[in-house]
Amino acid sequence: MSNTPDTDNAVRAYVDGHGAAFLAELSEWLRIPSVSADPARTDDVRRSAEWLKDHLAATGFPVTEIWDTPGAPAVFAEWPSGDPDALTVLVYGHHDVQPAAREDGWRTDPFEPVIEDGRLHARGAADDKGQVLFHTLGIRAHLAVTGRGAPAVNLKLLIEGEEESGSPHFPELIRSYADRLVCDTVIVSDTGMWSEDTPTVCTGMRGLVDCQIDLYGPGQDIHSGSFGGAVPNPATEAARLAAALHDADRKVTIPGFYDGVVELTDRERELFAELPFDEASWLRTAHSRATLGEAGYSTLERIWARPTAEVNGIGGGYQGPGGKTIVPSAAQLKLSFRLVAGQDVEKVQSSVRDWVAALLPAGIRHEITYWGATRPCLTPLDHPALQSVVRAMERAFDQKIRFTREGGSGPAADLQDVLGAPVLFLGISVPSDGWHAPNEKVELGLLMKGAETAAHLWADLAENGRE
Amino acid sequence: MSNTPDTDNAVRAYVDGHGAAFLAELSEWLRIPSVSADPARTDDVRRSAEWLKDHLAATGFPVTEIWDTPGAPAVFAEWPSGDPDALTVLVYGHHDVQPAAREDGWRTDPFEPVIEDGRLHARGAADDKGQVLFHTLGIRAHLAVTGRGAPAVNLKLLIEGEEESGSPHFPELIRSYADRLVCDTVIVSDTGMWSEDTPTVCTGMRGLVDCQIDLYGPGQDIHSGSFGGAVPNPATEAARLAAALHDADRKVTIPGFYDGVVELTDRERELFAELPFDEASWLRTAHSRATLGEAGYSTLERIWARPTAEVNGIGGGYQGPGGKTIVPSAAQLKLSFRLVAGQDVEKVQSSVRDWVAALLPAGIRHEITYWGATRPCLTPLDHPALQSVVRAMERAFDQKIRFTREGGSGPAADLQDVLGAPVLFLGISVPSDGWHAPNEKVELGLLMKGAETAAHLWADLAENGRE
């Protein structure tokens, strides 16, 4: 199959012709409230996994399995190309969704999909059921247009069931099934694009280290008149730690924190700068009144390509109404660090540990608890598989494809680590889709472009995707 | 009446001889649970005021009144000396008590006084009913031993009913009754001494300014991956404020904060240094592991004679279990400042206001709310009325009397301000009495010494108390 306008039209015709049936299937899946964070929805999450397994079998995958974890089940499917030399690609997504209830501000039942003005409204429409399912329409189009009986690449799908709960069992799952998951390239379909008008491909995600620091001072709250000013105050010390995170240029001060950071290239900075970034509208999305961050970097560079330290929560002493003149006995700090390529999770954790211990005065006892950590991932702009994704998108969108990164963190990096394969991102969601918010939606036009991209991708990767 | 051993013995004999009856009366008063903070105890607080009014009338006060406030009632009593040139003294105390319940850790019913091993256990035994009532035994002894029909000074008592609730209506009360309260000297009996073995007189209390600073950033919590590092974080800014309160020497950094501070004299520092201060045992009382405070000052100097800034509470963002990777939308800081003589409450408030506004970055909106403020007060060591208190105590205790100050703050300063009279402190409570804690007690021996001191004081003040 060659990259001709005829092929492109044939794919588009197939996708359009099967769009209605596809949306009916997606709606059926969206009606299953697979909220992994809600113990009352355990059965629904399993039902969602089973629905997907059946759907993948009906699509033609010869291997479809449910993989149990100590938490919610994942779905695995495999469709060998038949060509012994074919590239192997693993598609990642998730079938669980964020909680949603009418009283949160939904205009319609979050689990009763509604199509209106070219948009499908439902919890999971964009995050992530819509973006998982466009792949099955894409595969059908790929086979129909090429006349093949199997995909041009060995295709594997791993659709987990706990992403919205922080993927607590995902690293263990992929380690135990590593031999089944072996692949040359990972395609993650759980991200978005710049906007409907500016299709983009994401080239990396930041990593994440987050922790809680508990500080203990007096054995009980004590009188600030009788003792204040003469003993260490854990709330003050928590504040001093949080304040010491950044210098006046808002650079992170923790010794060793920036070690190994892969700096932005001039080419990447140029590409970021080409994006139609409008500060006022970005601030609206951020619900914020001003930008503030590391000196010497633009807003997009700060959120996509620079490591950061953030205070997620701080608490200590009296927080009720009015005043209470105490020296509190304890305080707590919740910090998260976003990491970029080149930073090492364990190294950052130990740098934070050393930094905390060095800053606290005698008389303050502390404990640090690290929650799960996620490694950063980044695919170089010239990687051949990334070029395949860009070409596949260009054919679907009839537009130049630009590059973004993702400031958030995801289990994608675990796949990169365990499987040793580069991770690419193919997502068609847009910022207005309202992930984790009321009235989540997906743009139907973009969903179809996603299916077209998927239809083009496998042949291109088979031909050009090897490093 | 002269200061002779005979007089001293006569006073002691009178106090000892009437001790049992006095304790029976005190116990009756302590059985009334006059908890001003508990709306369910409103009637009990009034019953306590009425009990005291009756008791003062029975003691011989020709004028006894209940003064109503929008909250709990105060009790006023007056006993003119009869001598037109006599000094006028106002005794201040309070008849309300802190909350107390068996389940808080009391070994006995907090409102059923128990005498055991020379101690009287009950809520209010030391704070403040015991210390109010020793005055009536003292007056009786003064009259009995001198053979007078009225005290040597014009004696006024003002015993308020809301001290444990922060004295919300006290300043207004004393302003409206200022003409009735006119006096040359105020004696506050609501403090303590260094210890049972080291009787002391307190020469001043610190003032207090406390406030809440609310900081607002994003309109809602936002994703720390998508936006973190590029917008201001109110929790970080709250921490930066709290951390900026002190420099590396733990001096307060707010411009103008130390303006006017009356520095310790060498003599005062020597006197403080003479006290048998044991850091280890002080740290136990403070429930703390180490001392920390303004460089260049001892622990006692820090808590008694230096102004301080304390973080009473801080809160912002996620404080539940585990992590949550957000940039929080709001944070809150509760600060209190202890002031010493020479500092001006309004000036400190406006300095704090300016300092906060100067430190916050664009994009963070803030509000400051000040709670009630209390002025500092300090009596010079050479003040004649203070010398009278010292002499009266020396005769009661047969010991050298040393000097302390009080790190806390109280309504005493309002009396000083409104009435323009110096405030002296006569208290016999000791740190182990457990103010505001379970199993509050008073040492019976010290209670009797308090009565003896009061018995000696009026004649000495009449003779020597004028400036």
Side-chain angles (χ1 to χ4, degrees):
Chain A
M1 169 173 137
S2 54
N3 300 353
T4 63
D6 281 358
T7 321
D8 297 0
N9 290 337
V11 163
R12 189 157 302 156
Y14 183 94
V15 165
D16 288 350
H18 294 78
F22 166 78
L23 290 180
E25 288 180 306
L26 175 56
S27 296
E28 197 177 292
W29 196 21
L30 289 168
R31 281 189 196 100
I32 304 173
S34 49
V35 181
S36 59
D38 184 352
R41 296 299 194 188
T42 306
D43 290 350
D44 290 316
V45 179
R46 179 159 298 274
R47 212 147 55 80
S48 162
E50 279 159 4
W51 185 95
L52 178 61
K53 177 179 182 295
D54 293 347
H55 174 79
L56 292 171
T59 302
F61 279 85
V63 178
T64 57
E65 297 174 14
I66 287 187
W67 286 357
D68 281 318
T69 75
V75 177
F76 175 76
E78 191 172 0
W79 197 337
S81 154
D83 173 357
D85 295 329
L87 202 75
T88 301
V89 177
L90 174 67
V91 173
Y92 165 86
H94 61 90
H95 69 89
D96 64 322
V97 298
Q98 278 277 311
R102 279 301 284 269
E103 54 269 31
D104 297 341
W106 284 77
R107 287 184 301 272
T108 56
D109 182 338
F111 298 107
E112 187 47 59
V114 173
I115 293 179
E116 212 176 60
D117 297 333
R119 294 163 173 173
L120 173 61
H121 291 271
R123 173 56 87 222
D127 178 21
D128 184 36
K129 286 174 173 168
Q131 302 206 88
V132 167
L133 223 60
F134 75 59
H135 279 286
T136 64
L137 180 55
I139 293 161
R140 290 176 191 178
H142 167 57
L143 300 181
V145 170
T146 58
R148 299 179 59 99
V153 294
N154 298 311
L155 202 54
K156 298 179 180 181
L157 260 72
L158 178 61
I159 311 301
E160 74 155 314
E162 294 189 307
E163 199 274 344
E164 300 297 2
S165 300
S167 304
H169 307 102
F170 189 68
E172 188 190 318
L173 182 77
I174 58 176
R175 271 194 294 270
S176 15
Y177 286 100
D179 56 334
R180 304 285 307 278
L181 296 170
V182 167
C183 63
D184 299 290
T185 299
V186 177
I187 300 281
V188 168
S189 283
D190 187 27
T191 56
M193 311 193 304
W194 180 265
S195 73
E196 210 175 335
D197 299 330
T198 307
T200 53
V201 62
C202 170
T203 66
M205 295 183 90
R206 291 197 289 188
L208 177 69
V209 160
D210 65 340
C211 66
Q212 175 170 323
I213 306 172
D214 287 289
L215 304 180
Y216 302 99
Q220 61 185 53
D221 291 352
I222 55 175
H223 194 285
S224 75
S226 306
F227 304 107
V231 294
N233 173 333
T236 301
E237 298 309 321
R240 287 171 79 101
L241 281 178
L245 278 172
H246 302 95
D247 65 15
D249 283 337
R250 301 280 168 165
K251 284 199 184 290
V252 177
T253 61
I254 298 171
F257 181 73
Y258 289 102
D259 286 1
V261 162
V262 173
E263 298 289 337
L264 277 163
T265 63
D266 290 346
R267 175 76 186 127
E268 282 169 311
R269 299 187 85 163
E270 277 166 34
L271 286 169
F272 285 1
E274 279 175 16
L275 289 165
F277 177 78
D278 175 62
E279 184 170 286
S281 87
W282 183 86
L283 281 173
R284 276 194 297 279
T285 317
H287 300 274
S288 292
R289 290 180 204 82
T291 61
L292 184 71
E294 189 182 359
Y297 295 92
S298 72
T299 292
L300 291 182
E301 290 166 356
R302 287 167 177 167
I303 56 175
W304 288 348
R306 296 298 300 168
T308 58
E310 203 70 50
V311 178
N312 307 125
I314 187 168
Y318 181 65
Q319 298 183 48
K324 192 175 183 192
T325 48
I326 53 164
V327 177
S329 69
Q332 183 191 81
L333 198 53
K334 289 182 194 273
L335 302 180
S336 65
F337 301 90
R338 297 286 167 173
L339 310 185
V340 299
Q343 282 180 298
D344 180 72
V345 162
E346 285 77 21
K347 174 119 200 319
V348 167
Q349 288 176 335
S350 88
S351 299
V352 172
R353 208 182 288 281
D354 293 346
W355 172 80
V356 170
L359 282 190
L360 292 178
I364 296 286
R365 189 167 64 76
H366 77 280
E367 280 166 19
I368 304 189
T369 309
Y370 284 101
W371 315 120
T374 307
R375 295 175 199 284
C377 59
L378 182 65
T379 306
L381 292 183
D382 57 1
H383 191 286
L386 178 60
Q387 296 300 324
S388 290
V389 172
V390 171
R391 271 190 302 273
M393 285 188 80
E394 275 172 352
R395 293 167 66 189
F397 284 84
D398 287 325
Q399 258 182 285
K400 178 172 176 181
I401 303 302
R402 296 171 187 275
F403 296 92
T404 64
R405 291 197 203 172
E406 167 59 42
S409 311
D414 291 313
L415 292 164
Q416 171 192 260
D417 277 8
V418 175
L419 308 177
V423 170
L424 307 172
F425 298 88
L426 169 56
I428 51 75
S429 179
V430 288
S432 61
D433 283 352
W435 289 33
H436 299 198
N439 306 305
E440 179 179 346
K441 56 89 180 167
V442 70
E443 300 284 334
L444 295 182
L446 296 180
L447 208 50
M448 297 303 129
K449 297 289 182 204
E452 286 182 49
T453 305
H456 295 306
L457 184 57
W458 311 132
D460 197 307
L461 272 176
E463 201 172 325
N464 311 300
R466 257 185 228 285
E467 270 188 287
Chain B
M1 170 173 137
S2 55
N3 300 353
T4 64
D6 280 356
T7 321
D8 297 358
N9 290 337
V11 163
R12 190 157 302 155
Y14 183 94
V15 165
D16 289 350
H18 295 77
F22 166 77
L23 290 179
E25 287 180 306
L26 174 57
S27 296
E28 199 177 291
W29 196 20
L30 290 168
R31 279 188 198 100
I32 304 173
S34 49
V35 180
S36 59
D38 184 353
R41 297 297 195 188
T42 304
D43 289 351
D44 291 315
V45 179
R46 180 159 297 275
R47 213 148 53 83
S48 162
E50 280 161 2
W51 185 95
L52 178 61
K53 177 180 182 295
D54 293 346
H55 174 80
L56 293 171
T59 301
F61 279 85
V63 177
T64 58
E65 298 175 13
I66 288 188
W67 286 357
D68 281 316
T69 76
V75 177
F76 175 76
E78 190 172 1
W79 197 335
S81 153
D83 172 357
D85 297 329
L87 203 76
T88 302
V89 178
L90 174 68
V91 172
Y92 166 87
H94 60 91
H95 68 90
D96 63 322
V97 299
Q98 278 278 312
R102 279 301 283 270
E103 54 269 31
D104 298 340
W106 284 77
R107 287 184 301 272
T108 57
D109 183 338
F111 297 107
E112 187 46 60
V114 173
I115 294 179
E116 212 177 59
D117 297 334
R119 293 165 174 172
L120 172 61
H121 291 270
R123 173 57 86 221
D127 177 21
D128 184 36
K129 286 174 174 169
Q131 303 206 89
V132 167
L133 223 59
F134 74 59
H135 279 285
T136 65
L137 180 54
I139 292 161
R140 290 176 190 177
H142 167 58
L143 300 181
V145 170
T146 58
R148 299 179 59 99
V153 295
N154 299 311
L155 202 55
K156 297 179 181 180
L157 261 72
L158 179 60
I159 310 300
E160 75 156 312
E162 297 188 305
E163 200 274 343
E164 300 296 2
S165 300
S167 303
H169 307 101
F170 190 68
E172 189 190 318
L173 182 77
I174 58 175
R175 269 193 296 269
S176 16
Y177 285 100
D179 56 333
R180 305 284 308 277
L181 296 170
V182 165
C183 63
D184 299 292
T185 299
V186 178
I187 300 281
V188 168
S189 283
D190 186 27
T191 56
M193 309 193 305
W194 179 264
S195 72
E196 211 174 335
D197 300 330
T198 308
T200 53
V201 62
C202 170
T203 66
M205 295 184 89
R206 292 197 289 188
L208 176 68
V209 159
D210 66 339
C211 66
Q212 174 170 322
I213 306 170
D214 286 289
L215 304 180
Y216 303 98
Q220 60 185 51
D221 290 353
I222 55 175
H223 193 285
S224 75
S226 305
F227 304 107
V231 293
N233 174 333
T236 301
E237 298 309 320
R240 288 171 79 101
L241 281 178
L245 278 173
H246 301 95
D247 66 14
D249 282 337
R250 303 278 167 167
K251 284 198 184 293
V252 177
T253 61
I254 298 171
F257 181 74
Y258 290 101
D259 285 2
V261 161
V262 173
E263 298 289 336
L264 278 162
T265 63
D266 289 347
R267 174 78 186 125
E268 283 169 312
R269 301 188 83 163
E270 277 168 33
L271 286 169
F272 286 0
E274 278 175 17
L275 290 164
F277 177 77
D278 175 62
E279 183 170 289
S281 88
W282 184 85
L283 281 173
R284 276 194 299 279
T285 316
H287 300 273
S288 292
R289 290 180 203 82
T291 60
L292 184 71
E294 189 183 357
Y297 294 91
S298 72
T299 292
L300 291 181
E301 290 167 356
R302 286 167 177 169
I303 56 176
W304 287 348
R306 296 299 299 168
T308 57
E310 202 70 50
V311 179
N312 306 126
I314 187 168
Y318 182 66
Q319 298 182 49
K324 191 175 183 190
T325 48
I326 53 164
V327 177
S329 69
Q332 181 191 83
L333 197 54
K334 289 182 194 276
L335 302 180
S336 65
F337 301 90
R338 296 285 168 175
L339 311 185
V340 300
Q343 282 180 298
D344 179 72
V345 162
E346 286 76 24
K347 173 120 201 319
V348 167
Q349 289 176 334
S350 90
S351 299
V352 171
R353 208 182 288 280
D354 293 345
W355 171 80
V356 170
L359 283 189
L360 292 177
I364 297 285
R365 190 167 64 77
H366 78 281
E367 280 166 19
I368 303 189
T369 310
Y370 284 101
W371 316 122
T374 308
R375 294 176 199 283
C377 61
L378 181 67
T379 307
L381 293 183
D382 56 1
H383 191 285
L386 178 60
Q387 296 298 326
S388 290
V389 173
V390 170
R391 273 191 301 271
M393 285 188 78
E394 275 171 351
R395 294 167 66 189
F397 284 85
D398 288 324
Q399 257 182 286
K400 177 172 177 181
I401 304 302
R402 296 170 187 275
F403 296 92
T404 64
R405 290 199 203 170
E406 167 59 43
S409 311
D414 292 313
L415 293 165
Q416 169 192 259
D417 277 8
V418 175
L419 308 178
V423 170
L424 307 171
F425 299 88
L426 168 56
I428 51 74
S429 179
V430 287
S432 61
D433 283 351
W435 289 32
H436 301 198
N439 305 306
E440 179 180 346
K441 55 90 179 163
V442 70
E443 301 284 333
L444 295 182
L446 296 181
L447 208 49
M448 298 301 129
K449 297 289 182 203
E452 287 182 48
T453 304
H456 296 306
L457 185 57
W458 312 132
D460 197 307
L461 271 176
E463 201 172 326
N464 312 299
R466 255 184 231 285
E467 269 187 290

